[in-house]
Amino acid sequence: MQGSLRGNKGPRYRHTAEDGAPYETITVDKLTPIIGAEIAGIDLSQPLSNRQHDEVHRALAENLVIFFRDQCITPDQHLAFGRLFGELHLHPAAPHEPGKPELMIIHADKDSPRANGEGWHTDVSCDLEPPMGSILYIKTCPPKGGDTLFASMYAAYDALSDRMKTYLDGLTAIHDGEHVYRGLFANFGVADKPTYPRAEHPVVRTHPVTGKKALYVNRWFTLRILGVPVAESDALLGYLYAHLEDPLFQCRFRWRPRSVAFWDNRCAQHRALWDYWPHTRSGNRVTIKGEKPV
Ligand code: SIN
């Protein structure tokens, strides 16, 4: 199949990023020009200075997902790092560490019926105010595999044709947790809730920090686009998913034990690969509350 970005007049998506002022307290090594950067020079087990905090925040805004290597953090330090960026989010369905409801368990091993995050998604987009960001700390890695892919929804939006952008302007879609979460965590002994969140969000949202537009539909949670016939919504979502999953918009992170990934759910999607069975991959996620998408 030809990618929707293929042509013979040069690249349809031309990424332009301004070179910001140099960082003072961290180093930022981009994985691709479009998304992802590895951050060095910071120890997340220690309190961050105001300057470090500002620079981590800026690196996240500029790169959508940032990675830290060789971090030795306790559950409380992980939670404290998350709280620097906002109030912590409680997952509507997933298992958490005993006594720590904000510390979600991410775990797959040889007996798992499934692994977390195997399809493209943004975290809990079915919430009325979906999470701003997620911070994943992986402690146990398989010998090979278990990478996570991240994709820029700014780039996916920018690369749409002007006609498609006009068409999408003002459309909203239903995001639903029911079909995703019911029964999903039974293997962890988590009982189902009577109901799961459901929300209507714009198909294109504007990031509250950068002011940039991002495509905001995902395969997991988005049920349908409102105001158009179901067949049109299905066809449109199918097109948008195929488009936004183009590798051009992606980076791929290879985990090592004690790596941390911090992604911005407002402008990035992610997908975890379960290619390491029968090995174990395990860690914790702290999720930061967000705002109503506009
Ligand atoms: C998730 O979607 O939070 C899981 C991501 C991962 O395990 O890499």
Side-chain angles (χ1 to χ4, degrees):
M1 186 182 110
Q2 291 196 355
S4 64
L5 299 170
R6 197 155 166 239
N8 57 5
K9 295 187 184 143
R12 199 166 106 202
Y13 178 60
R14 293 168 192 245
H15 180 73
T16 48
E18 319 84 54
D19 271 339
Y23 287 86
E24 285 172 13
T25 62
I26 54 174
T27 58
V28 177
D29 186 15
K30 282 182 180 290
L31 269 70
T32 79
I34 291 170
I35 182 168
E38 211 165 298
I39 309 298
I42 196 160
D43 177 355
L44 302 183
S45 72
Q46 299 300 314
L48 266 54
S49 66
N50 289 343
R51 189 83 188 131
Q52 281 177 316
H53 175 242
D54 286 351
E55 292 205 330
V56 168
H57 202 253
R58 178 182 148 204
L60 181 67
E62 288 179 357
N63 297 287
L64 296 72
V65 53
I66 50 181
F67 307 104
F68 305 84
R69 295 287 190 191
D70 305 318
Q71 300 292 328
C72 226
I73 51 171
T74 64
D76 285 334
Q77 288 163 343
H78 189 178
L79 291 163
F81 180 58
R83 285 196 185 99
L84 288 177
F85 299 90
E87 256 183 84
L88 299 186
H89 171 269
L90 291 180
H91 198 281
H96 58 77
E97 295 294 350
K100 296 198 187 296
E102 297 118 331
L103 202 60
M104 181 175 158
I105 296 172
I106 301 283
H107 179 96
D109 61 30
K110 68 175 184 4
D111 299 318
S112 299
R114 48 173 292 280
N116 275 87
E118 277 186 273
W120 281 105
H121 66 288
T122 45
D123 292 325
V124 203
S125 70
C126 54
D127 266 359
L128 284 177
E129 297 183 339
M132 159 267 175
S134 304
I135 303 171
L136 179 59
Y137 182 46
I138 290 289
K139 289 177 267 191
T140 305
C141 283
K144 287 272 179 289
D147 296 356
T148 309
L149 308 178
F150 296 88
S152 166
M153 294 303 105
Y154 294 143
Y157 175 75
D158 288 346
L160 292 170
S161 70
D162 289 339
R163 278 183 183 274
M164 182 56 83
K165 286 178 186 163
T166 303
Y167 178 82
L168 297 181
D169 187 36
L171 287 179
T172 61
I174 293 293
H175 295 236
D176 189 32
E178 176 67 31
H179 68 283
V180 176
Y181 291 139
R182 187 154 301 281
L184 191 67
F185 295 106
N187 61 309
F188 286 94
V190 179
D192 272 322
K193 299 235 174 82
T195 58
Y196 289 103
R198 180 180 174 101
E200 180 180 342
H201 296 311
V203 170
V204 176
R205 69 179 291 183
T206 303
H207 195 286
V209 174
T210 65
K212 292 196 229 169
K213 289 186 174 182
L215 206 48
Y216 198 65
V217 288
N218 68 85
R219 277 194 197 270
W220 264 18
F221 292 104
T222 311
L223 269 191
R224 65 161 302 203
I225 294 177
L226 297 175
V228 298
V230 173
E232 189 170 327
S233 164
D234 289 349
L236 190 51
L237 286 173
Y239 169 76
L240 292 175
Y241 295 150
H243 169 80
L244 65 83
E245 291 162 8
D246 192 304
L248 185 63
F249 311 135
Q250 297 173 16
C251 71
R252 178 171 179 144
F253 185 60
R254 180 169 292 183
W255 295 88
R256 295 199 299 257
R258 294 180 301 284
S259 300
V260 172
F262 182 0
W263 60 88
D264 187 331
N265 283 302
R266 300 167 298 187
C267 54
Q269 293 199 25
H270 58 285
R271 177 181 170 179
L273 302 181
W274 194 19
D275 55 358
Y276 50 87
W277 188 90
H279 298 286
T280 299
R281 179 178 181 275
S282 194
N284 290 118
R285 195 181 93 191
V286 165
T287 311
I288 303 153
K289 282 188 181 175
E291 57 287 291
K292 189 170 164 43
V294 286

